[in-house]
Amino acid sequence: MPKSASRNPLALLAICLASLMFGLEISSVPVILPALESRLQGDFKDLQWIMNAYTIACTVVLMATGALADRFGRKRVFLLSILAFGLASLLCGLADSTTFLIASRAIQGLAGGAMLITQVAILSQQFREGRERSRAFAAWGMVFGIGLGFGPIIGGVILALSSWSWIFLVHGPLALLTLGLAISGVQESRQARAGKLDGAGIVLLSLAVFGLTFLLTQGSTLGRSSVMTILLATLVCFIAFIRVETRIPQPMFELRVFRNRRFSGALLGSVGMNFSFWPFMIYLPIYFHSVLGYSSLHSGLALLAYTLPTLVFPPLGERLALRFEPGRVIPLGLFCIGLGFVAMYAASQLGAGNGLVMLPGALLAGIGLGITNTPVTNTTTGSLPADRAGMASGIDMSARMISLALNIALMGLILVAGIGAYLRRSLSGVLDAGQLRNWAEQIAAGQGPAQGMQWLADGSVQAALAHGFGWVMLYGGLSVWGLALLSAMTFAPWRRPELSAPAPCSGRR
């Protein structure tokens, strides 16, 4: 066995540990949000930003890291990102305020995004033989899925045995172990003629995403003139981004690739999964904790019904895609996610207070995501030429993170609006809109009746929260159904059958 090949198991172990850490920081944190709200004295907007700071920061750094790693060395950037992730995780665990935690989460997200994109680059570079490559990508995808799928129960167990800070502090020793394995196993590689960094595109897209997210979370507290100013600035940034990407020789997003029906149809699948399934997981622990009365540990166990199918069903999704083509399987998976959300909505309205009635809908949504995820990834990277696979992967990851960040904010807005509608209907007399919104946000954060809300202590708080969650579930179902229809129309297998033929995917020969 060549010396370089003998280092591959260590490299794969390092990459898998890094993917585990990244996945855990998305899925384990939602379980501890009620504890963070009470112990750090945060409000509902703070809880949203604790999650969004991570996802937005990941989006900001994804495309930039690919270019930097190609130029300065993929191993070097990977090692730096692991070190930065470990240090940022320690800062998160030591936070004594929501402001400090949000700032630390942003740093953690920057490091996590860099860590994620270099994992894919190193796997592609170091594992080139067909069978070894296929096994390496399969192991990486499985561990990444374990991090996402088991994160809620891991978070609940840690919170039950210790404090919320260990959700973050545990990544310190894990990062050191990963760093040692990566130093020993990962081979250095770089691109001889690396492309230039699209700094203008990165900045403009990041400002546009941040501006829209800020409006969704903070718009209600701003005056009309401030809202219009931020909205105008966001639109200007987005239009400028499109203009820049069409004019520079080496753009971050080569917009011509969206003319490829297979690529665009699969990308709508990426957006659909992160439009409903993953952002809703941020709020489900609040539903379990405040409506159903579950502890953090029980909330984590309940979330397994939602996340476990995402680990079990990807092989079925891949087989279906090979037999029936991705252009049919991806919209079908999105439809199944939507069906799960509509079923959860119906269950929440008919059997509020009983977690078992939510089980079929949660399972359906998880099955839909499990069926969709693998065909989406394979189709986005396999529908473009090999020299554009890196850009295809970057666009796919960016679409997922942008959709996740925006819908964390949008679902929060819908949740508060639904709770406010319930309170408005239940109250008699003239209401102060500002006070009503404050009450709705307190309820959405999982707080009990505050001053002036004691009359709600008879169970109306839970009823208001259940009503708001009904709105969110309905939105999740209808929106993903809309994206399923768009994806099907984009693939259009009935009109252009040649575009639906399975494309060769790296690692599957």
Side-chain angles (χ1 to χ4, degrees):
M1 178 184 291
K3 184 178 179 181
S4 58
S6 67
R7 297 161 61 186
N8 284 356
L10 292 177
L12 182 59
L13 187 55
I15 290 169
C16 287
L17 279 175
S19 70
L20 179 68
M21 290 191 293
F22 182 88
L24 285 174
E25 279 309 286
I26 292 178
S27 64
S28 64
V29 174
V31 178
I32 66 170
L33 289 178
L36 292 176
E37 177 270 325
S38 62
R39 297 177 192 181
L40 297 182
Q41 301 300 307
D43 58 22
F44 183 63
K45 292 185 177 69
D46 292 331
L47 301 185
Q48 289 180 292
W49 278 109
I50 287 170
M51 293 303 305
N52 260 340
Y54 186 83
T55 54
I56 292 175
C58 281
T59 305
V60 169
V61 80
L62 277 175
M63 299 302 293
T65 304
L68 291 172
D70 287 345
R71 179 173 300 178
F72 298 109
R74 298 174 181 112
K75 178 178 180 178
R76 180 179 299 175
V77 175
F78 185 49
L79 295 179
L80 289 174
S81 66
I82 295 169
L83 182 61
F85 189 87
L87 292 174
S89 298
L90 294 178
L91 290 176
C92 290
L94 297 174
D96 57 359
S97 68
T98 54
T99 301
F100 189 85
L101 180 56
I102 291 168
S104 301
R105 285 280 285 171
I107 299 171
Q108 192 185 40
L110 291 172
M115 196 167 61
L116 176 64
I117 206 69
T118 49
Q119 290 169 33
V120 179
I122 291 169
L123 281 172
S124 298
Q125 181 67 27
Q126 192 157 338
F127 297 88
R128 297 192 176 187
E129 296 297 326
R131 181 172 296 180
E132 184 187 36
R133 182 185 180 91
S134 181
R135 289 175 178 173
F137 270 94
W140 171 74
M142 183 180 298
V143 174
F144 188 69
I146 289 172
L148 289 172
F150 284 87
I153 185 61
I154 292 172
V157 168
I158 290 176
L159 191 61
L161 298 178
S162 185
S163 68
W164 65 265
S165 60
W166 279 101
I167 297 287
F168 304 106
L169 294 177
V170 70
H171 293 296
L174 277 177
L176 286 177
L177 175 60
T178 306
L179 193 65
L181 291 168
I183 290 172
S184 302
V186 175
Q187 302 170 29
E188 185 59 283
S189 63
R190 54 174 56 86
Q191 190 171 322
R193 301 177 64 182
K196 294 182 179 179
L197 184 65
D198 181 12
I202 292 167
V203 171
L204 289 169
L205 182 61
S206 302
L207 287 174
V209 173
F210 180 82
L212 187 54
T213 306
F214 187 83
L215 279 177
L216 290 173
T217 54
Q218 307 292 329
S220 62
T221 64
L222 304 173
R224 180 174 297 180
S225 60
S226 298
V227 169
M228 294 306 298
T229 300
I230 296 172
L231 180 60
L232 180 61
T234 300
L235 288 173
V236 167
C237 287
F238 183 72
I239 293 170
F241 167 74
I242 298 295
R243 188 176 180 85
V244 165
E245 298 305 287
T246 57
R247 295 200 168 195
I248 64 173
Q250 293 178 320
M252 178 174 67
F253 285 5
E254 189 174 334
L255 300 181
R256 286 180 297 177
V257 302
F258 294 107
R259 298 174 185 172
N260 184 312
R261 285 184 176 271
R262 286 175 56 84
F263 178 79
S264 295
L267 197 66
L268 285 167
S270 287
V271 172
M273 292 186 297
N274 291 273
F275 220 79
S276 53
F277 187 91
W278 292 120
F280 188 59
M281 195 176 73
I282 309 303
Y283 296 101
L284 262 180
I286 297 176
Y287 182 85
F288 290 140
H289 179 74
S290 299
V291 176
L292 303 182
Y294 291 179
S295 66
S296 295
L297 179 58
H298 288 153
S299 295
L301 288 169
L303 276 170
L304 287 178
Y306 192 68
T307 58
L308 271 182
T310 67
L311 300 178
V312 176
F313 281 86
L316 175 61
E318 190 170 4
R319 286 196 293 270
L320 289 174
L322 289 172
R323 182 172 181 179
F324 299 107
E325 303 168 355
R328 292 181 171 87
V329 175
I330 291 172
L332 175 65
L334 293 180
F335 178 81
C336 188
I337 295 174
L339 188 63
F341 270 80
V342 172
M344 284 191 287
Y345 165 74
S348 70
Q349 303 306 300
L350 298 175
N354 185 354
L356 289 178
V357 299
M358 295 281 289
L359 185 62
L363 288 171
L364 269 175
I367 290 169
L369 188 127
I371 291 173
T372 308
N373 195 30
T374 300
V376 161
T377 303
N378 287 346
T379 306
T380 52
T381 56
S383 57
L384 298 180
D387 60 349
R388 295 183 182 179
M391 182 180 64
S393 177
I395 293 175
D396 180 29
M397 289 293 183
S398 296
R400 292 175 189 239
M401 289 299 174
I402 290 171
S403 301
L404 178 60
L406 293 179
N407 277 279
I408 288 173
L410 187 54
M411 282 188 172
L413 191 68
I414 294 170
L415 177 59
V416 170
I419 294 170
Y422 181 91
L423 296 179
R424 189 180 297 109
R425 190 176 65 227
S426 301
L427 287 169
S428 59
V430 179
L431 289 173
D432 177 75
Q435 185 63 56
L436 180 66
R437 183 170 184 84
N438 288 337
W439 289 358
E441 288 183 352
Q442 290 178 48
I443 293 173
Q447 297 176 359
Q451 186 175 4
M453 294 168 57
Q454 288 82 358
W455 58 273
L456 286 171
D458 59 353
S460 295
V461 168
Q462 287 77 11
L465 192 56
H467 185 266
F469 266 100
W471 281 29
V472 175
M473 294 170 193
L474 194 58
Y475 161 76
L478 295 179
S479 63
V480 79
W481 274 351
L483 287 164
L485 180 61
L486 283 175
S487 178
M489 293 174 65
T490 302
F491 276 114
W494 57 87
R495 188 179 357 149
R496 300 283 296 277
E498 72 275 9
L499 292 174
S500 301
C505 300
S506 60
R508 288 180 168 81
R509 298 292 183 188

